[in-house]
Amino acid sequence: MGLWKSYFEFPVIWKITIGFVLGIIVGLVVGPPVAQNVGFYVVAQIFLRFLKFIVEPLIFFTLVLGAASINPKTLGKAGASVIGIYIITSIIAASIGLGLGLAIHPGRGFALTGVKVTPPKPVNFVETALHWIPTNPFAALAQFQVIPTIVFALFVGIALAYLRISEVERIREVSEVTYKVFDAMSEVMYRIVRFVLEVAPYGVFALIAINIGKSGIALLLPYGKLIGGVYLGVALQIGIVYTSILLISRINPAKFFRGAYDAMLTAYVTRSSSGTLPVTMKVADEKLGINRGLYSFTLPLGATINMDGTAIYQTMVAVFAADVINRTLTAGEMATVVSAAVMASIGTAGVPSAGLIMLTVTLGSVGLPFAVIGIVAGIDVILDMVRTMNNVTGDLTVTTAVAKAFKLIDFNKGVWASGEKA
Ligand code: ASP
């Protein structure tokens, strides 16, 4: 009994870390067979499926509640600032990837094999944007379409906000009840997230063992420069770009990263920004004290459109591809590559390896060979982990900074509460 109790009292964050470290060791020692082991597969899938099963209801209930609680003008202004900074940081990320790529030339010494890749249909931006307005909001919820769900939830929430101040008493009364129902349902969702996090240490263990096992060390060696380049790019983006944003906003980066840790680690092992959302949102709420109205809008949005890690990766692979065919990119082509990478990162879905397929956009923009996608596919797991971690960290950084600017953050909560303020 005592053991049971101390197990539950031991902080989840440590349990997850232990799972992570043990998973790396098992992955390294056992190698590829881990990836085929049914036990590991089942544990990893249970964790992933639980995360995914909570995403849509969590976004819906919290965003309706959030939009109904916050002044629509404030949400509009803060939301627009977040979107603006999301785009700026993505441009910086794409430039970092390009710059580092040119400095280290990750593809020199590679021979192009004839791997064929069928490019996906080109993205039609007008059609994509039109689909953001769901013709059937319930289908959007059911089919895991995040942006249409956000649009629907925003409308419901804002309408509810107006009804709550209606002149008709009956309407005021019923909308108050509805508001409370959404409040309760949001809490229910967070309670479920808490259960899911109890599975997390085992899920993280199994996932990292599979990821590391799959890409055995020997396979990674020839790609050392590319892997090193992408990891270094992410380190710069987090260590310099995000840290500067936090410092400019007078937020203590050490505390911020301590708060964001669970989400960063979950993103690293799940390789999915959308799958990580329940943890990202929980962290924003409980550890970073951000206003629910803001993060319930900006985090799901960020998980869909803000992918700085993916942008770094895209431009770096473009240089890799140019190296492989001994081509030197002109200045104009470099600019094209950066803008294509930003577009590609916006269009990338928050699911594992989506960025690999979106390479067609960046490579295609300056006529680089798609066969390179086949070359980098073999090591995608290792690159996808770090870029997804970067993607999620970016969403949290920008949301926290904007929350501070609009006074939508509670510094008496979570990581800020201990010791001095921010
Ligand atoms: N897996 C990444 C994410 O979910 C997207 C990518 O493949 O670059 O954020």
Side-chain angles (χ1 to χ4, degrees):
M1 213 47 210
L3 207 65
W4 189 247
K5 202 168 153 236
S6 33
Y7 175 82
F8 278 102
E9 275 168 6
F10 192 57
V12 171
I13 194 164
W14 284 114
K15 285 188 255 187
I16 295 182
T17 308
I18 294 171
F20 181 74
V21 175
L22 289 180
I24 293 182
I25 297 172
V26 171
L28 286 176
V29 174
V30 185
V34 182
Q36 266 106 49
N37 183 290
V38 179
F40 279 82
Y41 171 78
V42 169
V43 175
Q45 284 300 317
I46 289 177
F47 179 47
L48 287 177
R49 295 185 73 94
F50 269 125
L51 280 174
K52 282 191 200 140
F53 115 124
I54 194 75
V55 172
E56 281 284 331
L58 180 67
I59 298 176
F60 182 65
F61 287 113
T62 54
L63 185 50
V64 169
L65 178 73
S69 327
I70 192 173
N71 177 336
K73 259 201 201 133
T74 315
L75 178 60
K77 279 192 198 149
S81 313
V82 168
I83 295 172
I85 307 177
Y86 276 168
I87 293 172
I88 296 171
T89 51
S90 298
I91 296 173
I92 299 176
S95 313
I96 289 181
L98 181 77
L100 273 180
L102 292 173
I104 59 175
H105 283 291
R108 287 203 177 143
F110 257 90
L112 194 56
T113 51
V115 195
K116 278 228 167 65
V117 178
T118 8
K121 274 196 240 114
V123 188
N124 179 337
F125 283 100
V126 176
E127 276 305 313
T128 311
L130 281 174
H131 277 96
W132 290 350
I133 307 170
T135 47
N136 179 349
F138 296 102
L141 274 163
Q143 289 162 8
F144 214 122
Q145 300 168 2
V146 174
I147 295 192
T149 303
I150 294 177
V151 171
F152 178 50
L154 275 178
F155 270 86
V156 176
I158 293 170
L160 188 58
Y162 281 109
L163 295 187
R164 287 176 72 210
I165 49 169
S166 160
E167 280 165 9
V168 186
E169 200 193 332
R170 180 191 64 86
I171 294 187
R172 267 203 319 275
E173 269 173 30
V174 288
S175 44
E176 211 46 51
V177 174
T178 312
Y179 180 82
K180 284 185 179 149
V181 170
F182 275 91
D183 194 358
M185 285 308 289
S186 301
E187 293 304 333
V188 169
M189 295 305 142
Y190 277 108
R191 185 48 68 101
I192 298 177
V193 174
R194 203 181 293 174
F195 290 137
V196 176
L197 278 183
E198 289 299 334
V199 188
Y202 306 96
V204 166
F205 167 72
L207 274 170
I208 192 83
I210 292 174
N211 286 349
I212 300 278
K214 214 187 260 173
S215 22
I217 292 290
L219 178 73
L220 302 183
L221 282 180
Y223 295 92
K225 269 189 178 174
L226 181 62
I227 298 172
V230 173
Y231 273 69
L232 182 61
V234 168
L236 293 179
Q237 182 77 4
I238 295 181
I240 297 182
V241 181
Y242 297 162
T243 304
S244 306
I245 293 178
L246 293 167
L247 288 173
I248 292 169
S249 311
R250 312 187 116 261
I251 292 166
N252 180 334
K255 287 189 178 181
F256 168 82
F257 288 116
R258 182 145 44 85
Y261 178 83
D262 280 359
M264 292 170 74
L265 203 60
T266 308
Y268 192 76
V269 297
T270 60
R271 295 161 50 213
S272 167
S273 301
S274 309
T276 306
L277 259 178
V279 185
T280 321
M281 290 171 76
K282 187 169 181 287
V283 153
D285 193 288
E286 291 175 9
K287 302 239 164 108
L288 300 173
I290 301 169
N291 179 295
R292 205 169 271 187
L294 181 68
Y295 78 70
S296 59
F297 169 55
T298 63
L299 292 179
L301 186 69
T304 327
I305 65 157
N306 183 41
M307 309 238 171
D308 298 351
T310 305
I312 293 172
Y313 159 82
Q314 295 272 329
T315 47
M316 181 109 35
V317 174
V319 179
F320 178 89
D323 287 345
V324 168
I325 55 165
N326 271 323
R327 197 173 124 184
T328 314
L329 296 172
T330 64
E333 283 173 332
M334 288 181 200
T336 308
V337 162
V338 168
S339 25
V342 172
M343 298 283 205
S345 71
I346 294 175
T348 304
V351 298
S353 290
L356 179 72
I357 308 300
M358 292 304 278
L359 278 176
T360 47
V361 175
T362 309
L363 298 179
S365 73
V366 289
L368 289 165
F370 286 165
V372 167
I373 300 176
I375 305 183
V376 294
I379 51 157
D380 194 52
V381 171
I382 232 73
L383 299 178
D384 196 12
M385 292 199 286
V386 80
R387 61 181 193 253
T388 310
M389 182 193 74
N390 183 342
N391 293 346
V392 168
T393 314
D395 302 340
L396 276 173
T397 306
V398 176
T399 300
T400 310
V402 171
K404 169 98 195 270
F406 285 85
K407 298 196 167 46
L408 293 171
I409 190 162
D410 180 357
F411 283 113
N412 296 314
K413 225 173 152 180
V415 287
W416 320 117
S418 46
E420 91 279 20
K421 289 199 173 168

